[in-house]
Amino acid sequence: MKKIWHELVAGEVVQAFGVNVKCGRTALECKKLQAQFGLNTLPEQKRRSVLGIFLRQFLSPLIYLLMIASAIAFALGNYKDALVIVVVVILNSLVSAVQEGRAEASLAALRRLTKLKAKILRDGQLLELDASELVPGDIYHLTAGDGVPTDGRLLEANVLQVSEASLTGESMPVAKIVDALPAENSLPDRANMVYAGTYVTSGRAIAVAVTTGSRNELGKIAAMAGKTSQVKTRLEARIDAFGKTVALASVTIFLLVFILGLLHGMKMTEIFMVAISQMVSIVPEGLPVAMTVALAVGVQRMAKRRTIVRKLSAVESLGSTTVICTDKTGTLTKNEMTVVQLALPTKPLRRIKVSGTGYEPVGDFKEDVTEEVQTQHMLAQDSNFQRLMTAAVCCNDAELVSPDDVPASWQITGDPTEAALLVCAQKSGINLQALKAKNPRIAELPFDPNFKMMATEHQQDGRSLVYVKGAPEAIFSKCFASSADEHKEILEAFKEVADDMGQQALRVLAFGVIDDAHISSQRGFDGLNGCIHFLGLIAQMDPPRDEVKPAIAECVRAGIKTVMITGDHKATAVAIARQLGIAKSANEAVSGSELDLLSDEQLAAKMEHTKVFARVHPEQKLRIVKSLQSRGHVVAMTGDGVNDSPALVQADVGVAMGVTGTEVAKEASKIVITDDNFATIVAAVAEGRLVYQNIKKLLLFLFVTSVDELLVLLLALLFGFHAPLAAVQILWLNLVSESALTVSLIMEPMEDQDMHRPPVPANEPLLDQKMLHRMPFMIAASVVSTFGWFWARTYMGVPANVVQSETFTVLVVCQWFNLLNCRSPQASAFSGSLLGNPWLVGGLIIANILHGLVIYWKPLAEFFHTTPIALESFFAIGLVASLVLWVEELRKIYARRSLTI
């Protein structure tokens, strides 16, 4: 039967492994156990090869269609046409592969290059070895700053506190004990265990390794993430649907042309060539390349805003996000404990606000009632304040390390809660080193989770003082008994103050002093009963990032719901959620224990009104994401810990933290943000929306051009004319001429209203209703201009090769005007300056140059079957093709008037 290690006493655990706690494992034992259990490492995810990334780019219906067209063209002997199509497909795949490869390289740069070391007892010697060499039953030692190398049962613990945020989501370090605990305790409540992936913030300990490698809790969660299937992005789904529609349309057109050709008595080879040209015309060959470039541009923009994209299509998915599920600690908050309030036992009771965040000792002290700033001189003269600060500095095991040259680089060692006390004291002008030198420590009672207290004895001016700190209720219970009504009144008042601070989700510590006293190691904290003189309260919090509240407000305007999912307690989570505008009341919060009582149907129904999930474990995070997706939401899930990885994989867009994130979390994500900031995620959402809007603009442009070509060719066939365009000319239009112009649309700047619109509906196709309403006007104008020119010039008796070149040119110029049309569905092409997008001007110039080359440069002219045309004809062509612009301008005038009615 599997043993439950945390319910056994320490001696039983050691006995179960048959190990001597003073000597540890022998080298021979370890060699045998390593052969049995393997190294203490997680299985590494197989890296994608360059070839694999490249070949993956071919998995698209549009690519399949182009390859089929190329194969048919090759079979019919049109080698040039076949070659052009193949070259374009390969170039598209290369661009995509390079972008994804660069993302992989950027992520690799974030990986830690050092291996975790562990202090392991082997053959009676304490050796520093690679953590990978640990085996079950190994005895290892831990000290402050150490990473826990594997899951272990504590045998000894001296003031041990461990940060388990990466595993459980609990933001505060957990105090550890040695005593056996009930078997039913959940992972966050197993205080006699330490786990791989966590680290020691203070104290020291000895533990016995109970599991290693993938059998650790960390390994179990990594395995869970591996079993969770990657969700196809919305863009991938839309492209698949669009590709299938185009494939069906192309086959239909092919059959239609084949039938018409037979009815007109055309030769079979000629029918096939015309049919191929029709198939090529309906497929927007430039779309795969344009989509890849659009996404790549989005990736580069995001990189400048501290976001690494691991998968190109995730850019659009982030822009379509309807819900952002975010952790609290480090993402919404700074993950830096900060003193924000003090309360002094005076009459009347004084409460002081403390400003400034982080570990840089800069901030003000203000009286809560009068808002009067307390200068350092005033604070130095305040005996009540000075005694409270002295207790906070002396009864403290942390260190505040001053920077060399950079003011923002203050560092701490030890528990963040204790470090925050030192920062507060230094803000008031106290010299920490001088104060500690004046009050040398001579004895201590380490923090005891059972008593919720810590005590230190100090020598001061020839007498001994004992300073204590701990939970308010613990300190209050040991304050000296007094019949004085005033003293009782003060304590009662401070109980109310402590409750008020607690309701604000502040971490409250009470401080006291015992004059002329000594610590008794035998009596311990019981020796302090009724002796403590109360000095005051200090309240701390992990403050929200300054930029997060505006970012959440922007999400509200954009129709995006923000959901906090945290391992912290419900009260703490709700208080932060209120400050940031995520939730208004505790009614919008659900705890992990409450979540377990809900069926999937009940949870789905509750989702729309729930903004905070507190005290949740990994399986619950995964369940929350699935529940949101079941209601049609596009979910972005942020995370940094191993416990987040299953949900990161399941989410439409998994967003890992680059600074505090574990490697497991990064591997499970599609996007990594390098500053662990929620505001960066919102900025990435805005970039994603811009990418999607620009993709739709270029899709409208490309599809209108493709339909123009198709209708012109069909009309010529129906009326018995020769082909107005050669197949290679269509490819030139779709691949080269359009490519010079699509970059302009890809680089369009963000419109003011992009983040004031609701997210794109999950079932909206790439060609939405608004685009379909615009297309008939744009297509009709272009077809009338192009086919009208072709008809007129043919009846004038102009040579067929000249007519074909002129018709080709008319269609190209129509493209140029349509480029201006596609910039906005309502705004006139003449509103604003073209210089607002310099790429637009550059694209039009390059398009003119390229078309001049294909018409007048002999090598290209021969390849694309063109012939020089009279220069004066260009003016007439420009005038005819401008019909496209004027028709769309009239439609836009009507559209703007409809909006104002």
Side-chain angles (χ1 to χ4, degrees):
M1 187 175 72
K2 184 179 178 181
K3 295 184 182 294
I4 302 175
W5 301 112
H6 61 271
E7 76 167 344
L8 301 178
V9 297
E12 292 175 327
V13 177
V14 173
Q15 188 177 2
F17 284 105
V19 63
N20 186 317
V21 293
K22 293 185 178 181
C23 297
R25 291 283 194 197
T26 65
L28 183 60
E29 286 176 328
C30 291
K31 188 173 182 180
K32 291 179 180 178
L33 288 169
Q34 277 186 0
Q36 180 181 353
F37 294 102
L39 292 175
N40 179 42
T41 57
L42 292 179
E44 289 192 13
Q45 183 175 348
K46 188 177 180 181
R47 299 284 174 196
R48 294 185 297 171
S49 65
V50 175
L51 180 61
I53 294 174
F54 173 70
L55 294 177
R56 183 181 174 278
Q57 313 308 319
F58 288 85
L59 303 178
S60 166
L62 288 177
I63 299 296
Y64 301 154
L65 201 57
L66 287 172
M67 296 305 291
I68 292 171
S70 175
I72 296 175
F74 186 85
L76 294 173
N78 284 63
Y79 304 124
K80 288 190 294 185
D81 295 356
L83 178 63
V84 170
I85 295 174
V86 170
V87 168
V88 167
V89 169
I90 291 174
L91 286 176
N92 167 69
S93 298
L94 281 173
V95 171
S96 298
V98 166
Q99 288 300 325
E100 291 197 22
R102 289 180 65 182
E104 290 288 334
S106 297
L107 185 69
L110 288 173
R111 293 190 178 99
R112 298 180 179 87
L113 301 178
T114 57
K115 290 184 178 181
L116 182 65
K117 298 288 185 178
K119 294 185 279 288
I120 308 172
L121 189 63
R122 290 274 174 87
D123 290 316
Q125 291 184 314
L126 191 62
L127 306 174
E128 187 173 58
L129 304 171
D130 282 344
S132 60
E133 296 189 30
L134 273 162
V135 297
D138 255 331
I139 305 295
Y140 61 90
H141 290 220
L142 296 170
T143 55
D146 287 346
V148 178
T150 192
D151 293 2
R153 172 66 164 85
L154 290 170
L155 305 178
E156 294 181 18
N158 186 9
V159 205
L160 183 69
Q161 294 200 351
V162 179
S163 174
E164 297 183 343
S166 65
L167 190 65
T168 67
E170 171 64 62
S171 61
M172 298 304 301
V174 178
K176 294 295 183 177
I177 60 175
V178 176
D179 301 339
L181 294 169
E184 61 270 17
N185 276 24
S186 62
L187 191 144
D189 299 317
R190 297 171 190 168
N192 57 11
M193 299 286 295
V194 286
Y195 296 101
T198 66
Y199 68 92
V200 178
T201 59
S202 64
R204 53 188 180 275
I206 299 175
V208 56
V210 295
T211 57
T212 56
S214 58
R215 291 168 294 280
N216 285 333
E217 293 295 331
L218 184 149
K220 292 174 185 176
I221 296 172
M224 188 193 310
K227 293 176 183 176
T228 306
S229 58
Q230 289 274 0
V231 177
K232 181 175 286 190
T233 70
R234 303 285 172 168
L235 183 60
E236 289 172 328
R238 288 182 177 120
I239 291 175
D240 285 350
F242 179 73
K244 291 172 184 175
T245 302
V246 171
L248 180 62
S250 67
V251 172
T252 303
I253 294 298
F254 186 90
L255 294 174
L256 177 62
V257 171
F258 194 82
I259 293 169
L260 287 174
L262 290 176
L263 293 176
H264 282 77
M266 295 172 63
K267 295 180 181 178
M268 191 63 68
T269 54
E270 187 179 355
I271 291 174
F272 267 107
M273 280 312 303
V274 173
I276 283 294
S277 67
Q278 302 290 336
M279 177 184 284
V280 169
S281 69
I282 193 62
V283 179
E285 291 90 346
L287 182 59
V289 176
M291 296 277 264
T292 300
V293 173
L295 294 171
V297 168
V299 167
Q300 298 307 317
R301 282 172 168 165
M302 287 184 176
K304 292 177 182 178
R305 302 183 77 164
R306 299 176 294 279
T307 304
I308 295 172
V309 178
R310 299 189 63 218
K311 190 173 183 182
L312 281 180
S313 53
V315 175
E316 181 275 334
S317 290
L318 193 58
S320 302
T321 295
T322 59
V323 177
I324 299 177
C325 295
T326 176
D327 193 10
K328 177 182 73 68
T329 306
T331 307
L332 300 178
T333 64
K334 296 190 174 188
N335 198 22
E336 296 176 343
M337 293 303 293
T338 304
V339 172
V340 293
Q341 286 187 39
L342 307 173
L344 301 174
T346 57
K347 193 172 183 181
L349 183 150
R350 289 172 60 203
R351 293 179 71 168
I352 300 175
K353 295 178 181 176
V354 186
S355 67
T357 58
Y359 299 127
E360 184 181 2
V362 176
D364 294 325
F365 294 78
K366 287 184 180 181
E367 290 286 345
D368 185 40
V369 177
T370 65
E371 291 292 318
E372 179 187 3
V373 175
Q374 301 289 296
T375 65
Q376 290 188 356
H377 177 73
M378 293 169 66
L379 294 171
Q381 302 302 314
D382 188 332
S383 60
N384 290 299
F385 178 85
Q386 290 297 315
R387 293 196 78 186
L388 176 60
M389 285 295 100
T390 301
V393 172
C394 291
C395 192
N396 195 317
D397 289 325
E399 294 288 340
L400 182 62
V401 183
S402 62
D404 295 326
D405 300 309
V406 186
S409 64
W410 286 82
Q411 302 292 323
I412 67 164
T413 59
D415 183 82
T417 302
E418 292 191 323
L421 301 174
L422 301 181
V423 174
C424 179
Q426 188 147 329
K427 284 180 183 178
S428 71
I430 292 174
N431 185 310
L432 301 181
Q433 285 71 27
L435 183 62
K436 288 183 177 181
K438 188 179 178 181
N439 297 270
R441 183 185 298 190
I442 56 178
E444 67 178 73
L445 289 176
F447 177 81
D448 188 321
N450 294 318
F451 288 94
K452 299 181 180 178
M453 296 175 64
M454 172 184 179
T456 55
E457 182 182 341
H458 300 265
Q459 196 74 30
Q460 186 185 94
D461 299 328
R463 61 195 180 101
S464 292
L465 296 175
V466 175
Y467 289 113
V468 293
K469 80 163 184 283
E473 64 274 16
I475 299 296
F476 292 151
S477 68
K478 295 186 180 300
C479 283
F480 64 81
S482 172
S483 59
D485 292 338
E486 181 179 331
H487 184 74
K488 291 181 179 179
E489 184 182 331
I490 289 176
L491 285 182
E492 289 301 320
F494 267 85
K495 288 178 182 177
E496 293 181 9
V497 171
D499 289 341
D500 178 57
M501 290 176 169
Q503 288 173 7
Q504 297 175 49
L506 301 180
R507 183 178 177 86
V508 186
L509 290 174
F511 293 82
V513 64
I514 307 174
D515 291 313
D516 296 319
H518 298 278
I519 285 177
S520 169
S521 57
Q522 291 183 338
R523 298 188 62 192
F525 290 103
D526 288 333
L528 308 181
N529 288 340
C531 301
I532 297 175
H533 176 77
F534 181 65
L535 294 178
L537 300 175
I538 298 181
Q540 306 180 24
M541 69 179 300
D542 179 8
R545 292 177 180 266
D546 297 334
E547 61 275 21
V548 167
K549 189 171 183 178
I552 289 173
E554 188 172 9
C555 285
V556 173
R557 289 192 297 271
I560 301 170
K561 178 181 177 182
T562 303
V563 176
M564 180 194 294
I565 303 179
T566 178
D568 271 347
H569 292 283
K570 188 174 179 179
T572 304
V574 169
I576 294 293
R578 279 175 172 167
Q579 289 184 40
L580 295 175
I582 295 175
K584 295 179 180 178
S585 70
N587 294 331
E588 296 175 285
V590 172
S591 67
S593 57
E594 293 168 339
L595 181 61
D596 283 335
L597 300 176
L598 299 174
S599 65
D600 289 343
E601 293 74 19
Q602 290 172 324
L603 177 59
K606 201 175 181 63
M607 273 296 175
E608 296 305 316
H609 309 289
T610 303
K611 306 290 182 63
V612 177
F613 290 92
R615 211 66 176 161
V616 294
H617 54 72
E619 292 86 350
Q620 291 173 327
K621 291 186 178 185
L622 182 60
R623 189 182 173 204
I624 290 167
V625 172
K626 287 182 176 179
S627 183
L628 285 165
Q629 290 173 329
S630 72
R631 294 187 66 85
H633 286 292
V634 179
V635 182
M637 170 75 190
T638 74
D640 56 1
V642 177
N643 62 328
D644 297 321
S645 55
L648 287 172
V649 174
Q650 177 65 35
D652 296 276
V653 184
V655 184
M657 305 296 107
V659 178
T660 59
T662 61
E663 297 307 316
V664 175
K666 291 172 189 174
E667 291 292 348
S669 67
K670 294 185 180 77
I671 288 176
V672 179
I673 57 173
T674 60
D675 62 354
D676 293 13
N677 193 333
F678 181 84
T680 300
I681 301 168
V682 179
V685 169
E687 290 292 349
R689 287 196 171 190
L690 174 60
V691 167
Y692 186 65
Q693 291 304 317
N694 287 349
I695 283 176
K696 294 186 76 171
K697 290 175 184 178
L698 72 87
L699 179 62
L700 175 65
F701 173 71
L702 293 173
F703 202 70
V704 165
T705 302
S706 294
V707 176
D708 290 347
E709 298 162 5
L710 173 65
L711 292 179
V712 169
L713 290 165
L714 280 177
L715 286 172
L717 182 61
L718 283 170
F719 288 101
F721 290 106
H722 63 82
L725 297 168
V728 286
Q729 290 173 351
I730 294 171
L731 285 171
W732 173 270
L733 277 165
N734 290 357
L735 298 173
V736 182
S737 179
E738 286 176 358
S739 295
L741 301 177
T742 51
V743 171
S744 305
L745 292 176
I746 290 166
M747 300 304 294
E748 278 289 289
M750 184 175 294
E751 298 178 22
D752 293 338
Q753 300 302 312
D754 273 353
M755 284 299 282
H756 290 189
R757 294 192 306 266
V760 176
N763 59 351
E764 180 180 281
L766 279 176
L767 289 174
D768 60 30
Q769 288 295 320
K770 291 181 181 179
M771 294 167 68
L772 291 174
H773 289 158
R774 295 178 65 191
M775 285 173 60
F777 298 96
M778 299 169 71
I779 291 170
S782 183
V783 171
V784 167
S785 298
T786 307
F787 188 72
W789 182 277
F790 171 73
W791 183 307
R793 298 293 279 172
T794 300
Y795 270 97
M796 289 179 187
V798 177
N801 60 340
V802 175
V803 173
Q804 193 176 69
S805 296
E806 290 180 348
T807 304
F808 175 41
T809 302
V810 173
L811 199 52
V812 167
V813 178
C814 284
Q815 280 186 333
W816 300 347
F817 285 117
N818 263 332
L819 176 71
L820 301 178
N821 289 335
C822 291
R823 293 186 72 192
S824 174
Q826 277 108 24
S828 168
F830 302 102
S831 63
S833 172
L834 293 180
L835 296 178
N837 180 3
W839 291 86
L840 186 69
V841 178
L844 288 171
I845 292 172
I846 291 172
N848 274 272
I849 294 172
L850 289 174
H851 191 71
L853 288 173
V854 85
I855 293 293
Y856 296 106
W857 190 38
K858 190 173 181 180
L860 280 179
E862 289 180 354
F863 190 89
F864 288 99
H865 312 308
T866 62
T867 188
I869 58 178
L871 191 60
E872 59 269 17
S873 296
F874 273 112
F875 294 101
I877 287 172
L879 185 62
V880 170
S882 69
L883 178 65
V884 172
L885 179 65
W886 305 123
V887 168
E888 180 64 3
E889 283 297 310
L890 289 173
R891 188 205 64 79
K892 287 181 179 180
I893 291 172
Y894 176 77
R896 290 195 296 271
R897 287 180 177 175
S898 298
L899 288 174
T900 58
I901 295 176

